[in-house]
Amino acid sequence: MDDSLRELYQEVILDHSRHPRHFGPLASATHEGEGHNPLCGDRVKIYLSVDDAGRIADIKFEGKGCAISQASASLMTDMIAGRSVAEAEKLMDGFLHLVKGEDATDLVGDDRERLDIMAGVSAFPMRVKCATLAWHTMKSALEHGMAAKSE
Amino acid sequence: MMAHAKLRTVGAFVPPRADFEILSREVYGKPLVYLDSAASAQKPRQMLQAMTAFAESEYANVHRGVHFLSAAATERYEGARETVRHFLNAAQADEIVFTKGGTEAINLVAASFLAPRIQPGDEIVLTVVEHHSNIVPWHFLRERHGAVLKWVDVRDDGSFDIDAFDAAIGPKTKLVAVAHMSNVLGTVAPLKEIVARAHAKGVPVLADGCQGAVHEIVDVQDLDIDFYAITGHKLYGPTGIGALYGKRAHLKTMRPFNGGGEMIREVTRDIVTYADPPARFEAGTPPIIESIGLAAAIDYMTAFDRAAVKAHEASLLSAAREAVSEFNWLRVVGDAPGKGSILSFETEGMHAHDVATILDREGVAVRAGHHCAQPLMERFGVASTTRASFALYNTRADVDALVDGLRKARKILG
Ligand SMILES: Cc1ncc(COP(=O)(O)O)c(C=O)c1O
């Protein structure tokens, strides 16, 4: 098989997309956002519960989409929970660099290792939007509170 | 390629692959298998050469100069109009308006024909299979003029029930707008009957022929249709050009679309009067070189026995349909009798985009997504489908590559 395909659809990604973590609504949400990829019609909803100290106490997602967008959302929610808003945004910047094939040296250690499974997306420019949808939606949810939409 | 050479003959028709240079290229080191002609068709050398030859030796602006070249270019441009007239069997060439595509042709009808006739509460009948370009212009009239959109449904196999049109067309209906062929399901609408039912109630009909004109033989007089829109790039022609057929009696009463050069009779500081159709609707310098390309593309495709081309495409569709029926994880969306050569399907546990990405790496180009037909996706309860569409240059080897690619996708994702 084509190596880039093997990397794109590696087992960890397929596992995340088949068994997404943190899937479902979040009753305690303080922020929520809805993202839409007009190219394929995929939608994702992100719910966040941010405490007074600016820490993301909990995060969940709902939606339907391709393996890449589902895995990315699942992995994101797994990694974001417990971080501060500033840390979450920094992680997002690193992630965006990674999937766009840009310099991602700001992404280090454990974060780098875990997100590395998404690095294969950079070989598929038409699919970068699938990978970034959940992240952009999270960011606009953090910026707009309870009524954010992201295209 | 040997595989193609061996399989060239299907029925009586031999796919003219050598005319399409691009079909011999590779992608990712694999031979290109182009199954996305419903999005845009590839270009035959004859069409490209006609555009180049015209641009190199006869080009000038049209309807403007008195000089030799302008007269020659004008003659060619009007000649292209005559080619489109003949293609659609319109009665007169001045019933053919050149536009920049199918989308603009439909918008022209919405803005110049229907908008002035709409009172709040008036109805426009359209169908759930429509492409966004035959939906959004009517939404504009809903938003801006208070029109009400009435939707005709299809059966579960994607076919139309003619009585559903009767039920939808009422005393307030001002237009019926329907795709001649669905770009997702392949369903061919019973246009002649729809027109008969609509006319019985005094309602005009517009057909979106962007797909239909590619595969069906169109006779606007026999259909007695009021408007018929086509787009050049799906007809093996260039981008940037399409055409609207409109009955002369309608075009004459319609107000201008865009304002600019060519579409006027006289302009003063105080008043403006407008040219007769079709010039009234062709403001500005038109797509001149593209008109030559469109005419050449029509000449190219009509030089084949079109019934044989249709039979060839139908044989590819049925071969693909039969092969995928063995996949119990695949559901075909749209199985109407007599449908055109478009195969849309949903794959269990596999998103259309992932399937298309894997096919792509096998060299197989398909479309994945909502195909600019979101109401239709909603009707069939799917977010997206994968779509393979067959054109005159496709072969059984292309079908085999699609089926092999699908097996591979299942192996990776399933
Ligand atoms: C059924 C149908 N109608 C309209 C269009 C719009 O054509 P164009 O984008 O060339 O204006 C398309 C193609 O995209 C189509 O498939």
Side-chain angles (χ1 to χ4, degrees), chain B residues 230-295:
Chain B
I230 62 172
T231 202
H233 66 98
K234 296 186 206 273
L235 287 162
Y236 310 99
T239 52
I241 188 159
L244 174 72
Y245 160 79
K247 275 187 179 166
R248 192 155 191 245
H250 293 316
L251 293 179
K252 267 185 4 203
T253 66
M254 282 160 57
R255 69 184 187 193
F257 183 41
N258 293 323
E262 311 297 351
M263 51 75 72
I264 50 91
R265 182 166 293 144
E266 191 188 10
V267 180
T268 72
R269 294 188 190 201
D270 302 316
I271 58 125
V272 52
T273 54
Y274 304 112
D276 289 333
R280 188 186 300 165
F281 309 107
E282 295 181 358
T285 298
I288 304 167
I289 299 173
E290 290 79 2
S291 75
I292 304 307
L294 175 60

Side-chain angles (χ1 to χ4, degrees), chain B residues 38-39 101-104 106 131 133 179 181-183 208 210-211 231 233-234:
Chain B
T103 299
E104 191 179 66
I106 297 168
H131 187 281
S133 60
M181 179 189 292
S182 159
N183 66 311
D208 168 359
C210 290
Q211 301 289 342
T231 202
H233 66 98
K234 296 186 206 273

Side-chain angles (χ1 to χ4, degrees), chain A:
Chain A
M1 196 209 300
D2 184 326
D3 282 344
S4 56
L5 266 188
R6 199 193 309 269
E7 194 186 345
L8 184 67
Y9 293 113
Q10 59 186 282
E11 214 30 65
V12 192
I13 290 199
L14 292 177
D15 185 63
H16 267 286
S17 81
R18 289 183 193 124
H19 313 287
R21 334 288 197 250
H22 304 270
F23 193 88
L26 181 64
S28 64
T30 55
H31 295 66
E32 67 178 62
E34 191 176 342
H36 178 216
N37 183 347
L39 190 69
C40 57
D42 287 354
R43 284 175 191 284
V44 65
K45 269 189 148 177
I46 305 285
Y47 307 95
L48 299 125
S49 143
V50 182
D51 65 22
D52 294 342
R55 199 182 60 92
I56 299 169
D58 207 351
I59 174 168
K60 295 188 89 172
F61 84 100
E62 283 183 311
K64 262 181 118 169
C66 65
I68 308 305
S69 74
Q70 294 295 288
S72 179
S74 172
L75 185 62
M76 177 187 86
T77 50
D78 226 16
M79 292 179 67
I80 288 296
R83 294 186 197 232
S84 72
V85 169
E87 285 166 349
E89 285 177 352
K90 188 159 173 287
L91 189 67
M92 170 169 166
D93 289 339
F95 174 79
L96 294 183
H97 290 146
L98 185 72
V99 294
K100 290 178 183 166
E102 297 164 1
D103 176 15
T105 42
D106 48 339
L107 210 52
V108 292
D110 194 40
D111 287 347
R112 171 77 202 211
E113 219 165 275
R114 295 193 65 192
L115 285 177
D116 230 19
I117 59 165
M118 301 295 302
V121 174
S122 66
F124 296 80
M126 303 296 282
R127 306 300 303 276
V128 170
K129 275 200 165 159
C130 308
T132 59
L133 179 64
W135 294 78
H136 284 302
T137 307
M138 171 186 74
K139 182 150 196 233
S140 66
L142 288 171
E143 281 164 4
H144 299 106
M146 291 302 286
K149 298 230 189 271
S150 171
E151 292 278 315

